[in-house]
């Protein structure tokens, strides 16, 4: 009997030892994306071109020479419709800008000037902080990633601390980096540099949920030339309303029309 009991306990110990040796700890799921392209897709929701976005924002422009604060109304509709109006403390707006497709129009009531021309990045930079195409401005204002239409020669992604970094390089030596929060699928920073050494930075903060999507309420832009622009959204809403010619500004009868360079 004793030999049988000893054999029985020996088998139990052997089985117990085997089970301990084969214990598998649960693997921790590391944040990130399968590829850089997957990361870009996560921050590029389907184009909601039926929605009109409306917001008011407080804008601060700081340069070595001065600091300017003002309020502005923003209207946009993807992929390429944008309207800006100043909100002065007193009196009517003193600045209007519309972009629709390939055309840009601006009206400056104080000087009575109406400007019209092609919506090139250079013409947009006359009124906006950076020389970017309208599609990129739409993405920035909504906190989306870029549509990869530049045909980058290199697209690389990797984790950097708690954010996933995507680096894109184009044939003209332009490098653009994006930092994406993989837990929230949201863009938090853009950095763009050229072979000339200029570096432009956009950071996104104070996120809020609306219609199942996340939008940044605070956008800060460093132009790389000593000027910083910070826009804080006071309100943001969406509507299906699409007013006739809302994104095509018309010159008042008394305005002096000037053409912008092509």
């Amino acid at each position: 009997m004793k030999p049988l009991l000893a054999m029985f306990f020996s088998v139990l110990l052997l089985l117990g030892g085997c089970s301990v040796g084969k214990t598998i700890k649960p693997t921790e799921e590391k944040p990130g994306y399968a590829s850089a392209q997957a990361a870009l897709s996560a921050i590029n929701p389907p184009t909601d071109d039926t929605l009109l976005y409306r917001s008011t924002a407080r804008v601060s422009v700081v340069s070595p020479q001065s600091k300017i604060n003002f309020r502005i109304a923003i209207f946009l509709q993807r992929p390429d419709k944008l309207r800006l109006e100043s909100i002065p403390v007193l009196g009517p707006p003193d600045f209007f800008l519309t972009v629709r497709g390939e055309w840009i129009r601006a009206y400056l009531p104080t000087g009575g000037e109406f400007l019209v021309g092609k919506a090139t990045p250079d013409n947009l930079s006359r009124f906006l902080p950076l020389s970017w195409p309208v599609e990129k401005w739409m993405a920035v204002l909504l906190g989306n990633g870029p549509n990869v239409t530049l045909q980058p020669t290199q697209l690389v992604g990797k984790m950097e601390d708690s954010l996933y970094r995507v680096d894109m390089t184009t044939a003209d030596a332009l490098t653009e980096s994006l930092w994406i929060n993989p837990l929230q699928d949201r863009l938090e920073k853009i950095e763009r540099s050229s072979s000339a050494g200029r570096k432009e930075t956009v950071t996104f903060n104070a996120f809020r949920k609306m219609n199942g999507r996340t939008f940044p309420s605070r956008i800060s832009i460093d132009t790389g030339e000593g000027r910083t622009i910070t826009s804080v959204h006071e309100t943001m809403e969406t509507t299906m309303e699409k007013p006739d010619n809302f994104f095509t500004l018309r010159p008042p009868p008394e305005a002096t029309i000037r053409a912008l360079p092509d």
Side-chain angles (χ1 to χ4, degrees):
M1 186 67 178
K2 288 184 178 179
L4 289 175
L5 286 173
M7 183 181 297
F8 177 71
F9 285 117
S10 297
V11 171
L12 284 180
L13 289 172
L14 180 63
L15 292 176
C18 291
S19 63
V20 170
K22 292 183 178 179
T23 298
I24 301 175
K25 295 182 179 180
T27 58
E28 295 182 3
E29 191 171 331
K30 295 182 179 181
Y33 298 96
S35 65
Q37 188 64 58
L40 294 180
S41 298
I43 56 173
N44 272 297
T47 301
D48 45 2
D49 54 5
T50 61
L51 287 179
L52 172 66
Y53 291 86
R54 301 187 296 193
S55 69
T56 59
R58 290 181 287 109
V59 181
S60 175
V61 180
V62 179
S63 68
Q65 296 78 25
S66 63
K67 180 177 181 180
I68 304 172
N69 298 307
F70 57 92
R71 295 177 68 237
I72 196 166
I74 305 170
F75 307 84
L76 56 88
Q77 189 171 11
R78 298 180 71 188
D80 56 8
K81 298 176 184 176
L82 175 67
R83 181 181 177 117
L84 304 177
E85 298 180 6
S86 65
I87 306 176
V89 177
L90 296 173
D94 54 9
F95 171 75
F96 298 87
L97 171 74
T98 61
V99 181
R100 183 171 186 171
E102 63 177 350
W103 292 99
I104 180 174
R105 296 171 173 85
Y107 177 50
L108 311 174
T110 303
E113 283 191 317
F114 187 91
L115 308 173
V116 59
K118 293 295 183 67
T120 62
D122 284 346
N123 280 338
L124 284 168
S125 69
R126 295 170 180 267
F127 310 100
L128 299 173
L130 300 171
S131 180
W132 287 358
V134 63
E135 294 85 1
K136 188 169 184 64
W137 274 115
M138 302 288 279
V140 166
L141 291 171
L142 292 173
N144 297 335
N147 292 320
V148 188
T149 57
L150 298 176
Q151 298 299 320
T153 57
Q154 189 175 27
L155 187 62
V156 179
K158 64 178 180 179
M159 285 298 297
E160 188 173 277
D161 296 327
S162 61
L163 301 178
Y164 189 85
R165 175 174 174 169
V166 176
D167 294 319
M168 297 181 292
T169 305
T170 60
D172 58 357
L174 178 68
T175 300
E176 185 167 327
S177 300
L178 293 83
W179 283 264
I180 302 167
N181 184 325
L183 299 179
Q184 306 292 333
D185 285 336
R186 70 190 185 198
L187 179 62
E188 298 198 357
K189 181 180 175 182
I190 299 173
E191 190 174 272
R192 187 174 180 178
S193 58
S194 66
S195 57
R198 177 176 171 179
K199 184 177 291 185
E200 304 162 344
T201 305
V202 183
T203 55
F204 305 91
N205 301 100
F207 296 90
R208 68 172 67 170
K209 285 280 189 180
M210 184 177 65
N211 292 347
R213 288 187 48 198
T214 302
F215 296 88
S217 295
R218 181 185 179 92
I219 302 172
S220 297
I221 300 172
D222 187 334
T223 65
E225 297 178 326
R227 189 166 52 131
T228 303
I229 297 91
T230 301
S231 174
V232 179
H233 290 286
E234 298 174 316
T235 63
M236 177 174 266
E237 59 182 350
T238 60
T239 176
M240 302 296 289
E241 177 187 0
K242 293 196 289 188
D244 292 339
N245 299 321
F246 185 71
F247 293 100
T248 305
L249 198 62
R250 301 296 183 186
E254 70 280 4
T256 300
I257 301 176
R258 300 188 187 279
L260 294 169
D262 289 339

